[in-house]
Amino acid sequence: MTTTIRRAGRATGRLLIAALMAFGTYLFVTVLLIAAIGTLVVVGAWMLPEAVLLIRRIAGAKRRQVADWTGHEIPEAYEPLTGTLRERLRTAVRDPGTLADLRWMAAHYVYGWLVLLALPLWPVGLVLDGVWCGLLRRDAVVLPSVGRLADVEARWSAHLLRPSPKARLAARVRALTETRADAIAAHGAELRRIERDLHDGAQARLVALSMRIGLAQRAFGRDPDSARKLMADAQDQAEQALTELRHVVRGIHPPILTDRGLAGAVRALAAGSGLEVTVRVDGLVDSGGGGGGAAEPGAGAVGSGRGPSGSAGCRGHRAPAAVEAAAYFAVAEALTNVVKHSGSPRAAVELVRLRNGLRAVVRDEGLGGADEGAGSGLLGIRRRVAALDGVVNMDSPAGGPTTIAVELPCVW
């Protein structure tokens, strides 16, 4: 009986909040009418976009209340109210989200007062359920109806506040436009980096190599010893140029990804990071093997490579090359941040195959307080991941720990 009363009390509080919001929306009608009249007479046209923003805040508060009650988030899909006054007015009037919010507000004027049905149930429920449940040890009958009323109110609100297909499509188009712009910017920056690396590295060494070979050819007849020394220098230059080219190639797409897959490439990356890195692989092809346990100092990478069944070297399908590359570079950038900024001697990397994607998580026990705007490379990770419709979540409170989680959608 105590549990039933507690649940009914929580539902009643939820319905009371809904009633207060319905009362507030009654008052808001005055503001909306003033904004509409001001728009018609032009003088107060600026009020309409502000009124729409206020409607969005009210609807957003209702979405959070429904999500708190049901445990399911209700997405928002609004066109941004930016630009000139004319553009803001056009957006405010044509945005499908505005029409959906007004439809919810009009319906909420009626069903927002379901608390008036819930309050009379309390005295009846306390008496009947007190006897039925307290004395006869049966399930309560009346008071649970209060919770069902709250469920009805939440379902109606969720249905009315859910974005329309048109609004979701418009939001999706905006998101794709932004990610495409970021991908183009990232692609341009990557091309400039490759051009700079080739110009300052391999190209300069190849020019020096050509000059030494030319000098060796001129000196070969009159001074064979100098010619041999120049040819030896040319060989060194050729080896250094090859090293520079390999570095550039690894920056474009590491060959180890093709040879050993994401798990093997991340293990090699961890081994060369200078940290004690524990790598855990779940559901992916793992060519790294390796035993479990703690890493030896300076060992680099240690990982169990065990899937859900606990068997080493679990079998599984590989993700698409673009997804593997994005996850690899995200882990590489995260480990670089650990070395440069965290102050922690150890880190943990987790690669998990999801039903519809791939998750890569990097954790460290360092100083925390990571700032995306401080040139830490996190913005580059977000751009690369967003180009594949993925998400990046970072948790880095001051004092640590820092966790960077990347989720990339893909079809297995």
Side-chain angles (χ1 to χ4, degrees):
M1 185 64 184
T2 302
T3 303
T4 301
I5 292 176
R6 189 182 299 114
R7 290 176 180 173
R10 183 168 175 263
T12 303
R14 167 81 173 69
L15 291 171
L16 283 173
I17 294 174
L20 290 175
M21 183 170 287
F23 178 74
T25 53
Y26 279 126
L27 299 179
F28 180 72
V29 171
T30 304
V31 178
L32 193 59
L33 289 176
I34 293 175
I37 294 173
T39 303
L40 292 175
V41 298
V42 181
V43 178
W46 60 271
M47 295 181 62
L48 184 60
E50 300 301 323
V52 170
L53 287 175
L54 184 55
I55 293 175
R56 291 181 179 183
R57 294 189 184 98
I58 296 173
K62 187 62 179 180
R63 287 186 179 93
R64 290 189 292 272
Q65 290 178 7
V66 174
D68 181 65
W69 179 257
T70 62
H72 300 288
E73 296 290 335
I74 303 176
E76 293 184 354
Y78 295 120
E79 295 184 13
L81 285 175
T82 57
T84 63
L85 178 59
R86 181 186 297 273
E87 292 172 343
R88 298 178 68 200
L89 281 171
R90 186 184 299 111
T91 302
V93 173
R94 296 181 178 180
D95 184 9
T98 302
L99 179 60
D101 289 347
L102 290 175
R103 186 171 60 245
W104 162 76
M105 192 171 288
H108 196 249
Y109 290 156
V110 179
Y111 76 85
W113 298 97
L114 286 176
V115 67
L116 299 179
L117 299 178
L119 292 178
L121 295 176
W122 273 96
V124 177
L126 289 175
V127 175
L128 293 181
D129 289 342
V131 175
W132 186 256
C133 182
L135 297 180
L136 301 179
R137 305 296 182 184
R138 302 291 182 87
D139 293 336
V141 176
V142 179
L143 288 180
S145 300
V146 180
R148 285 190 283 271
L149 287 174
D151 291 338
V152 168
E153 197 275 340
R155 282 197 300 270
W156 287 350
S157 296
H159 177 74
L160 292 170
L161 290 172
R162 190 174 296 115
S164 65
K166 183 179 180 180
R168 289 197 296 270
L169 178 60
R172 180 62 175 163
V173 170
R174 286 196 304 272
L176 290 176
T177 302
E178 293 174 359
T179 56
R180 184 185 64 178
D182 288 341
I184 292 173
H187 179 67
E190 190 72 8
L191 287 179
R192 290 190 295 272
R193 181 191 66 79
I194 294 171
E195 181 183 7
R196 184 174 61 252
D197 291 345
L198 289 174
H199 181 273
D200 298 340
Q203 179 177 314
R205 296 191 185 281
L206 289 173
V207 170
L209 171 63
S210 177
M211 293 176 62
R212 279 174 171 76
I213 292 176
L215 291 173
Q217 287 177 340
R218 293 187 182 94
F220 188 77
R222 65 177 183 275
D223 190 355
D225 292 336
S226 296
R228 281 192 291 270
K229 185 177 183 302
L230 289 171
M231 291 301 293
D233 291 342
Q235 184 178 6
D236 292 338
Q237 289 287 341
E239 292 175 354
Q240 292 174 4
L242 285 174
T243 301
E244 293 286 345
L245 288 173
R246 290 191 187 100
H247 176 74
V248 173
V249 170
R250 284 195 297 269
I252 299 173
H253 186 83
I256 193 172
L257 268 178
T258 304
D259 298 337
R260 298 176 56 186
L262 179 61
V266 168
R267 290 188 188 281
L269 185 67
S273 66
L275 300 167
E276 296 179 23
V277 184
T278 301
V279 180
R280 191 179 78 86
V281 180
D282 186 354
L284 300 177
V285 173
D286 187 0
S287 61
E296 294 294 330
V302 173
S304 64
R306 298 179 183 274
S309 64
S311 58
C314 62
R315 302 295 298 172
H317 298 289
R318 287 186 56 173
V323 173
E324 286 192 338
Y328 174 85
F329 284 114
V331 172
E333 187 63 44
L335 289 177
T336 301
N337 288 340
V338 175
V339 174
K340 289 183 177 180
H341 307 294
S342 75
S344 174
R346 60 184 60 87
V349 179
E350 182 180 2
L351 302 174
V352 181
R353 172 182 170 176
L354 306 176
R355 186 170 64 88
N356 294 317
L358 171 69
R359 180 170 65 235
V361 183
V362 179
R363 299 184 181 89
D364 69 78
E365 302 296 330
L367 302 175
D371 183 8
E372 292 191 40
S376 59
L378 294 172
L379 180 59
I381 293 176
R382 288 194 183 276
R383 283 181 172 177
R384 185 184 291 271
V385 171
L388 298 176
D389 208 18
V391 294
V392 178
N393 296 313
M394 183 183 70
D395 182 22
S396 183
T402 296
T403 302
I404 298 177
V406 173
E407 290 195 10
L408 294 159
C410 67
V411 178
W412 298 93

